Amino acid sequence: QVQLVESGGGLVQPGGSLRLSCAASGSIFSIHAMEWYRQAPGKQRELVASITDSGITNYVDSAKGRFTISRDNAKNTVYLQMNSLKPEDTAVYYCKAVVYVRGTRSAQDYWGQGTQVTVSS
């Protein structure tokens, strides 16, 4: 019913920047929160940043001052601008959307397929 497609990952040197995008499509009535998670090898998936439909943002401490989450509600798209990247930012990044599907009365979580971010010299 709802699909999330991420893009923008890749290999970048320490101190570099990347911009991730995640576009939602399908039977969407509205989207509440949109979030970015990451999972490094051997580690649990962690919430990196979130943004509500009204634009309220929240970040994990390690991302504050370096990452910026934003969204385009008209395009059902969320972005993650990542600056001053460090090797410890290396992970698979996933987006999640809390979606009110057309014809239903409850919100459901949908996940993207993930995009690899590698920070290395």
Side-chain angles (χ1 to χ4, degrees), residues 12-18 66-67 82-87 89 119:
V12 64
Q13 292 186 341
S17 298
L18 283 175
R66 300 189 299 126
F67 293 3
M82 303 185 295
N83 299 328
S84 302
L85 282 162
K86 305 175 181 180
D89 294 317
V119 184

Side-chain angles (χ1 to χ4, degrees), residues 4-6 20-22 34-40 43-49 69 78 80 91-97 110-117:
L4 272 63
V5 178
E6 297 135 340
L20 306 183
S21 300
C22 173
M34 302 188 82
E35 302 169 338
W36 286 99
Y37 288 74
R38 66 186 178 189
Q39 187 166 20
K43 294 188 177 181
Q44 289 188 329
R45 189 173 297 189
E46 67 168 347
L47 176 62
V48 177
I69 189 170
V78 63
L80 186 67
V92 178
Y93 284 70
Y94 300 89
C95 68
K96 189 187 87 172
Y110 291 89
W111 291 85
Q113 79 286 357
T115 185
Q116 177 70 46
V117 171

Side-chain angles (χ1 to χ4, degrees), residues 45-99:
R45 189 173 297 189
E46 67 168 347
L47 176 62
V48 177
S50 64
I51 184 168
T52 68
D53 51 0
S54 58
I56 298 172
T57 61
N58 194 26
Y59 299 90
V60 67
D61 285 346
S62 60
K64 290 178 181 177
R66 300 189 299 126
F67 293 3
T68 302
I69 189 170
S70 60
R71 64 190 280 175
D72 184 332
N73 291 330
K75 296 181 178 179
N76 290 329
T77 299
V78 63
Y79 306 96
L80 186 67
Q81 177 68 44
M82 303 185 295
N83 299 328
S84 302
L85 282 162
K86 305 175 181 180
E88 51 263 44
D89 294 317
T90 296
V92 178
Y93 284 70
Y94 300 89
C95 68
K96 189 187 87 172
V98 182
V99 180

